[in-house]
Amino acid sequence: MYDFGIRQAHTGYRVAYRPDEANHCPGCGKSHWIIGRMTAECAYCGTAVPMMAGGMQGTGLFRRHGKSAVEGSLAA
């Protein structure tokens, strides 16, 4: 995982949805979110912000390890 704390002094604070923290919308200040794979969208005003750990975990993430038995039989 990317260590954001090292570069924060050089780049400043970046608006992002952080799982397991209180997240307030930069547009309206409310804290109800619709969570996607790569972004979180405010349920009130629709402001979208990137997820700090987007795409790394959760339902719908597929990981393949090794070769599949079906892979060879799909050749036409």
Side-chain angles (χ1 to χ4, degrees):
M1 185 173 169
Y2 179 70
D3 186 10
F4 185 72
I6 293 173
R7 296 184 186 242
Q8 189 171 5
H10 300 292
T11 61
Y13 181 79
R14 295 182 184 175
V15 176
Y17 181 88
R18 292 167 173 81
D20 301 325
E21 290 186 21
N23 293 284
H24 295 280
C25 176
C28 67
K30 297 191 181 190
S31 60
H32 294 276
W33 297 92
I34 300 168
I35 309 300
R37 290 184 185 177
M38 299 299 286
T39 62
E41 184 177 325
C42 177
Y44 290 100
C45 70
T47 300
V49 295
M51 296 199 44
M52 188 56 124
M56 296 298 188
Q57 61 187 353
T59 306
L61 180 66
F62 298 101
R63 292 187 179 135
R64 282 185 22 174
H65 298 286
K67 289 189 174 185
S68 172
V70 179
E71 195 172 287
S73 64
L74 293 177

